[in-house]
Amino acid sequence: MSGVDQQPAGAGKPLRDVIAPGLDVLFCGINPSPVSAERGHHFARPGNRFWPAIQLAGLTPRLLTPDEDLQLLDHGLGVTNMVDRPTRTAAELTPEELRAGAVALEELVARHRPRVLAVLGVTAWRHAFGRPKATLGEQPERIGGVTTWVAPNPSGLNAHHQLPDLARLYRELRPA
């Protein structure tokens, strides 16, 4: 796990980035839930489908728990957030926060150079990057110089995509 960003939680960043140079996929959530911020681990809110989706997609060999988020690195995966401020729903974020998060994300990605960036949430993508008509899938933009996809948000609050849909779409993210 050498090269992991080990900035401590706190000081405006309630969750550390789980990232190292050259990952296959860097997942970018919108922002942490209060539960994730309290526990200090990504996608920790009960009902979040990130962990089962990546396992079902074949990106991890077994179901990891939020407490094992650092083990993502062992599988060529990482995770960060676009906005650091915890909220109950992403709708509580301002357009300014999303745009500022986009700038910080681009810098992080350029520094660590994952093969693919996967932003988890099309509405957040649209606001953060000024692409009001963007759809799910590979994007024409290369954020931080890398291939960028927009994939569905795994939050249990997102009823548009069920677990098999998430797994199918997440499976497409790993470069061949």
Side-chain angles (χ1 to χ4, degrees):
M1 282 190 242
S2 65
V4 177
D5 273 7
Q6 289 292 338
Q7 69 272 35
K13 193 155 184 85
L15 293 179
R16 72 179 169 274
D17 294 324
V18 177
I19 190 168
L23 295 172
D24 287 337
V25 180
L26 175 62
F27 289 97
C28 179
I30 300 168
N31 71 310
S33 71
V35 172
S36 289
E38 181 180 309
R39 289 183 57 191
H41 295 284
H42 294 272
F43 302 109
R45 183 177 177 173
N48 192 293
R49 300 165 298 169
F50 177 77
W51 301 105
I54 63 170
Q55 193 269 329
L56 189 60
L59 299 178
T60 59
R62 67 173 180 84
L63 180 61
L64 298 176
T65 67
D67 295 340
E68 298 174 303
D69 57 7
L70 281 175
Q71 289 186 29
L72 288 170
L73 298 171
D74 297 336
H75 307 289
L77 307 173
V79 65
T80 188
N81 285 297
M82 189 172 305
V83 176
D84 294 324
R85 182 171 69 93
T87 61
R88 286 181 33 88
T89 69
E92 296 173 46
L93 299 172
T94 67
E96 295 78 20
E97 285 177 296
L98 289 166
R99 285 192 295 274
V103 170
L105 177 63
E106 188 153 9
E107 292 168 359
L108 182 75
V109 170
R111 189 167 63 249
H112 291 281
R113 303 291 299 181
R115 292 176 70 193
V116 170
L117 169 65
V119 175
L120 303 180
V122 69
T123 302
W125 169 264
R126 289 172 180 160
H127 291 293
F129 290 93
R131 302 289 185 260
K133 296 183 182 191
T135 59
L136 295 175
E138 189 171 351
Q139 302 301 302
E141 297 84 5
R142 294 177 61 89
I143 302 305
V146 306
T147 300
T148 302
W149 285 68
V150 174
N153 186 319
S155 169
L157 301 175
N158 178 6
H160 298 293
H161 292 85
Q162 298 305 312
L163 183 58
D165 301 322
L166 295 174
R168 179 180 51 78
L169 293 166
Y170 290 5
R171 189 176 303 115
E172 296 176 15
L173 300 172
R174 177 157 268 156

